[in-house]
Amino acid sequence: EPEVTQTPSHQVTQMGQEVILRCVPISNHLYFYWYRQILGQKVEFLVSFYNNEISEKSEIFDDQFSVERPDGSNFTLKIRSTKLEDSAMYFCASLRAGVDNEQFFGPGTRLTVL
Amino acid sequence: LAKTTQPISMDSYEGQEVNITCSHNNIATNDYITWYQQFPSQGPRFIIQGYKTKVKNEVASLFIPADRKSSTLSLPRVSLSDTAVYYCLVGDLSGGYNKLIFGAGTRLAVHP
């Protein structure tokens, strides 16, 4: 069964550093998302992406965040200057649409900012 | 988006049927009801989705009364591996790409 993959599984970085989290969505999916989950808290929407542009973003997704689909397969989330409070699990999801609107989530990247 | 209310936690034993009820009094006409499951340190996983009456798949059943102000996820004969957080989400899917808004979910613990 096709699945969403994410790399790395765990990223440790120093405050102020830039990080790039990578995702490979399911190949025939058209909509892409990033969510995050701070330890012990609920899953929060960050951004949705369709047709090579951002469809919607949350208040969390400020100027420090950016997304890109550099080629036909990868979907990346960049945090320009990490803060301690960016420590969380980051989940990528993709959706084919037109079927049952099921979003398929990746296994997540655990980001730890020191 | 309709606000949802579900129990914070539930306990069950292996082999039992588990029913998790979600209240969504302000559900709108175009809203669908979707349930996701999340295991520790994993991404959420779609379980089932419905609009009204009953929906069934190989994993669960979803019961939605006529007024649609609540819904019940039913897991038949749970096993230890069903220990997870279960989220009820309500939203309009007509846009096709709508974000998912997760609440706190119901933490189900299945005991031997």
Side-chain angles (χ1 to χ4, degrees), chain A residues 31 33 35 37 41-45 48 50 55-56 89 91 95 97 100-108 110, chain B residues 34 36 38-39 41-47 49 87 93-105 107:
Chain A
Y31 300 93
Y33 309 80
Y35 295 83
Q37 186 173 32
Q41 297 187 24
K42 60 186 181 182
V43 178
E44 299 175 288
F45 167 77
S48 58
Y50 171 70
S55 309
E56 187 174 357
M89 280 288 280
F91 296 108
L95 167 73
D100 54 13
N101 287 297
E102 174 184 349
Q103 289 190 23
F104 289 78
F105 282 76
R110 180 172 298 283
Chain B
T34 311
Y36 277 78
Q38 186 181 26
F39 297 114
S41 298
Q42 293 188 29
R45 186 173 75 106
F46 174 94
I47 303 175
Q49 182 178 89
Y87 300 98
L93 301 179
S94 60
Y97 59 82
N98 291 306
K99 61 182 183 282
L100 298 177
I101 303 294
F102 289 86
R107 191 170 296 274

Side-chain angles (χ1 to χ4, degrees), chain A:
Chain A
E1 185 179 319
E3 57 184 21
V4 175
T5 59
Q6 291 185 241
T7 54
S9 56
H10 192 186
Q11 172 92 47
V12 181
T13 190
Q14 296 289 326
M15 191 170 56
Q17 295 295 304
E18 174 184 285
V19 294
I20 297 176
L21 310 183
R22 291 184 167 78
C23 168
V24 178
I26 295 173
S27 63
N28 62 346
H29 285 194
L30 301 177
Y31 300 93
F32 312 108
Y33 309 80
W34 283 101
Y35 295 83
R36 80 170 186 192
Q37 186 173 32
I38 295 170
L39 186 64
Q41 297 187 24
K42 60 186 181 182
V43 178
E44 299 175 288
F45 167 77
L46 292 178
V47 65
S48 58
F49 192 86
Y50 171 70
N51 203 25
N52 285 319
E53 60 182 27
I54 290 174
S55 309
E56 187 174 357
K57 57 185 180 180
S58 71
E59 290 178 356
I60 302 168
F61 195 89
D62 61 22
D63 292 342
Q64 292 301 311
F65 291 86
S66 61
V67 288
E68 199 175 43
R69 189 155 160 81
D71 52 43
S73 59
N74 290 285
F75 180 49
T76 62
L77 174 70
K78 183 195 288 188
I79 309 175
R80 216 178 321 276
S81 177
T82 50
K83 308 187 202 51
L84 295 176
E85 54 265 36
D86 293 327
S87 295
M89 280 288 280
Y90 287 81
F91 296 108
C92 170
S94 69
L95 167 73
R96 185 168 59 170
V99 183
D100 54 13
N101 287 297
E102 174 184 349
Q103 289 190 23
F104 289 78
F105 282 76
T109 292
R110 180 172 298 283
L111 176 65
T112 302
V113 182
L114 302 176

